[in-house]
Amino acid sequence: MKTSTGRILTTHTGSLPRPASLTDRHDPQAVRAAVAETVRRQVDAGVDIVNDGEVSKPSYSTYVTERLSGFGGEPIPFQLRDLEAFPEFAQRMIGDPDMAAVFGNPSCNGPVAYTDTSLVEADVTNLRGVAAGATEVFMSAASPGVIEMFMPNRYYPSTEEYLFALADAMKTEYDAIHRAGLLLQRPCHPGHRAGPDPAAPVLGQLRGPASQRHTAGRHR
């Protein structure tokens, strides 16, 4: 990761608003154009360390259901403790169609494995092809803790085993990003539960390139 003695290099958390022109994220040509526009706008704004804005993904965590097996279970109600104290606000949240999609994520009901590398390969190709003007480039990939939070375990005997299975599977994506020469950003566990991040020991035991080069996670 590059450093600077002249000034603080600027970056951002990862997700950016999709360009209005991107109406179908399954259209490869439209996604390439959206990535190019997103990178250009970051560079024009003076951002040093840019990314693709995650424009190809439906969200920063649940996109993994398009790349991993094991997520065919019934949705499990998503609990946010902050909402318990504000029931009226909670009702408005649940009534929002976009939020309803978040509350309706599938649970894990089978073995987790990385089944399709074509999507991360396309993400890497699209970003590298338009990032020549940036000081440095990063790409986000969901951490085991974030996946576990939004898509609970109903298959593995314990949360720890689920997290290790997620780490083993997602290492395929982490390594692909690293091999491409991009910085890897893993969104960290948002901490909606009391106590330490249950994924921290898992990430600490990842071996190989993906464990050696990454930026700090983010809270949402």
Side-chain angles (χ1 to χ4, degrees):
M1 187 172 182
K2 295 182 179 179
T3 59
S4 172
T5 58
R7 62 185 179 84
I8 297 173
L9 298 179
T10 56
T11 188
H12 57 90
T13 59
S15 291
L16 296 172
R18 290 194 184 98
S21 58
L22 182 59
T23 57
D24 182 3
R25 66 180 184 84
H26 298 291
D27 180 344
Q29 185 173 350
V31 170
R32 282 194 296 272
V35 171
E37 179 181 345
T38 299
V39 170
R40 176 185 57 77
R41 294 182 67 180
Q42 291 172 77
V43 173
D44 289 349
V47 176
D48 296 299
I49 307 170
V50 306
N51 79 332
D52 61 359
E54 301 184 353
V55 299
S56 71
K57 301 172 180 176
S59 81
Y60 75 95
S61 59
T62 59
Y63 77 91
V64 301
T65 60
E66 300 176 343
R67 308 181 185 194
L68 301 178
S69 63
F71 294 100
E74 290 295 317
I76 296 172
F78 186 69
Q79 299 295 326
L80 291 174
R81 291 180 177 176
D82 291 350
L83 297 183
E84 295 177 2
F86 303 95
E88 293 181 2
F89 177 70
Q91 285 298 319
R92 290 201 301 272
M93 289 276 286
I94 295 171
D96 184 315
D98 291 333
M99 290 304 300
V102 172
F103 284 98
N105 295 324
S107 58
C108 174
N109 68 340
V112 174
Y114 208 97
T115 60
D116 184 5
T117 60
S118 66
L119 296 175
V120 66
E121 290 165 0
D123 286 344
V124 166
T125 299
N126 290 340
L127 181 54
R128 290 185 66 187
V130 296
T135 301
E136 199 157 23
V137 186
F138 75 94
M139 180 167 285
S140 302
S143 71
V146 161
I147 300 171
E148 183 271 335
M149 186 190 79
F150 284 103
M151 289 167 287
N153 169 43
R154 289 298 180 269
Y155 174 77
Y156 291 92
S158 68
T159 298
E160 181 180 36
E161 290 182 60
Y162 180 38
L163 288 168
F164 270 100
L166 290 171
D168 287 341
M170 287 301 294
K171 188 174 182 296
T172 299
E173 181 158 307
Y174 303 155
D175 285 346
I177 294 169
H178 171 79
R179 283 194 302 271
L182 307 178
L183 292 175
L184 169 63
Q185 182 195 60
R186 290 184 297 222
C188 62
H189 199 290
H192 71 298
R193 302 182 180 91
D197 181 352
V202 176
L203 290 176
Q205 293 184 46
L206 271 177
R207 294 179 294 276
S211 66
Q212 298 165 5
R213 186 183 187 191
H214 63 275
T215 59
R218 63 175 180 242
H219 290 275
R220 291 196 175 188

